[in-house]
């Protein structure tokens, strides 16, 4: 994150602790429920909600900036589906915000010219091909790998890996990809609630196994 945003975030956190007054420093905005993939654990594309207009999102960004927000993450669904995604990114950047976007990578080549001003991109990578596809659908692995190779050297990129019982053995693959392509990595325990997710009982790893994997990640980080 840029130094100015980090300093302001630090000051905001300090202010909250000293004066018990919270500031929305880091905000995720869901810009659409529409999606090009069908992840096994996600129910977001089936939610029936009105999508915010460009003007409404601009107004929301204005209000967040005035409230002290420093980073906005654009999320969905698949944000690249929106025809105005480039305008949203550029508007937030013009407000001095650090802007990120989560994507499955399917539309990367088609939409890259619109998102090139992002501070960083986050691509979903759940492990090697058979593990990733079990979580996110047939042929999804090929598409995200194509996206990773396409943006390599063009845009700072992170990966996000959702841990289910199908891909706990894929952590080393994700870390190897990070080394190969200069990626930052994040790992997320499956946590979709009843509104955002499908029936997760068949996907959840046991508590014991999950703790083992998380401890391994902590050790690797050190």
């Amino acid at each position: 994150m840029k130094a100015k945003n980090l300093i302001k975030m630090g000051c905001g956190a300090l202010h909250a602790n000293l004066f018990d007054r919270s500031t929305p420093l880091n905000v995720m905005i869901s810009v659409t429920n529409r999606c090009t993939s069908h992840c096994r654990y996600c129910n977001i594309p089936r939610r029936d909600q009105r999508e915010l207009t460009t003007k409404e999102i601009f107004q929301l960004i204005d209000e967040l900036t005035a409230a002290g927000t420093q980073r906005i993450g654009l999320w969905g669904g698949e944000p690249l589906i929106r025809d105005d995604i480039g305008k949203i990114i550029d508007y937030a950047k013009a407000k001095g915000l650090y802007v990120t976007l989560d994507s499955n990578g399917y539309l990367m080549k088609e939409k890259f010219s619109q998102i090139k001003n992002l501070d960083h991109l986050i691509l979903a990578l759940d492990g090697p091909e058979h593990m990733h596809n079990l979580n996110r659908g047939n042929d999804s692995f090929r598409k995200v790998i194509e996206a990773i190779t396409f943006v390599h050297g063009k845009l700072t990129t992170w990966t996000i890996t959702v841990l289910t019982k199908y891909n706990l053995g894929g952590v080393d693959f994700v870390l190897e990809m990070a080394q190969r392509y200069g990626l930052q990595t994040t790992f997320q325990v499956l946590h979709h609630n009843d509104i955002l997710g499908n029936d997760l009982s068949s996907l959840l790893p046991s508590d014991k196994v999950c703790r083992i994997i998380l401890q391994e990640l902590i050790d690797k980080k050190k």
Side-chain angles (χ1 to χ4, degrees):
M1 184 172 285
K2 295 179 180 178
K4 67 175 184 178
N5 298 111
L6 280 173
I7 292 170
K8 289 181 179 179
M9 287 188 81
C11 291
L14 181 63
H15 190 268
N17 281 282
L18 290 177
F19 303 105
D20 194 28
R21 183 175 179 181
S22 298
T23 301
L25 297 171
N26 184 5
V27 177
M28 300 295 291
I29 301 178
S30 178
V31 296
T32 185
N33 287 334
R34 292 176 291 157
C35 195
T36 49
S37 63
H38 302 282
C39 300
R40 293 183 64 171
Y41 40 73
C42 181
N43 194 47
I44 292 173
R46 299 178 185 86
R47 299 180 71 193
D48 184 20
Q49 293 175 303
R50 184 182 68 82
E51 196 168 280
L52 293 177
T53 66
T54 309
K55 183 178 179 180
E56 288 172 330
I57 292 177
F58 284 2
Q59 181 178 348
L60 180 57
I61 291 172
D62 289 342
E63 292 172 359
L64 289 169
T65 303
T69 298
Q70 296 302 312
R71 181 248 179 169
I72 283 181
L74 303 174
W75 185 65
E78 172 53 57
L80 297 190
I81 283 180
R82 288 191 66 122
D83 293 333
D84 60 355
I85 193 62
K87 294 178 181 178
I88 294 170
I89 292 168
D90 292 344
Y91 189 84
K93 290 284 293 179
K95 294 290 182 176
L97 298 171
Y98 188 95
V99 185
T100 68
L101 180 144
D102 285 60
S103 175
N104 58 29
Y106 289 20
L107 301 174
M108 191 54 56
K109 291 181 181 179
E110 178 183 339
K111 291 295 186 74
F112 182 76
S113 63
Q114 297 182 39
I115 68 167
K116 61 185 179 181
N117 290 330
L118 282 171
D119 289 292
H120 76 253
L121 169 71
I122 304 165
L123 290 171
L125 178 63
D126 279 0
E129 185 169 10
H130 66 288
M131 295 182 185
H132 182 94
N133 287 348
L134 275 172
N135 273 358
R136 296 185 178 271
N138 292 336
D139 206 34
S140 57
F141 178 82
R142 177 186 64 82
K143 293 174 182 177
V144 72
I145 295 301
E146 287 183 353
I148 289 172
T149 55
F150 178 77
V151 300
H152 180 53
K154 301 174 184 175
L155 187 62
T156 299
T157 305
W158 294 36
T159 59
I160 184 166
T161 303
V162 177
L163 296 173
T164 72
K165 72 177 185 181
Y166 294 117
N167 69 331
L168 295 180
V171 167
D172 285 342
F173 172 84
V174 175
L175 296 178
E176 288 165 6
M177 288 290 291
Q179 287 186 321
R180 185 185 309 172
Y181 290 99
L183 309 168
Q184 298 290 324
T185 61
T186 58
F187 293 87
Q188 174 181 298
V189 177
L190 183 60
H191 70 278
H192 287 61
N193 59 32
D194 292 340
I195 297 175
L196 299 182
N198 296 315
D199 180 10
L200 306 181
S201 59
S202 64
L203 299 174
L204 285 170
S206 70
D207 182 71
K208 180 179 179 180
V209 172
C210 194
R211 288 178 183 274
I212 291 172
I213 295 299
L214 293 178
Q215 186 59 56
E216 288 180 359
L217 284 169
I218 291 169
D219 294 340
K220 290 177 183 294
K221 183 177 180 180
K222 290 179 180 178

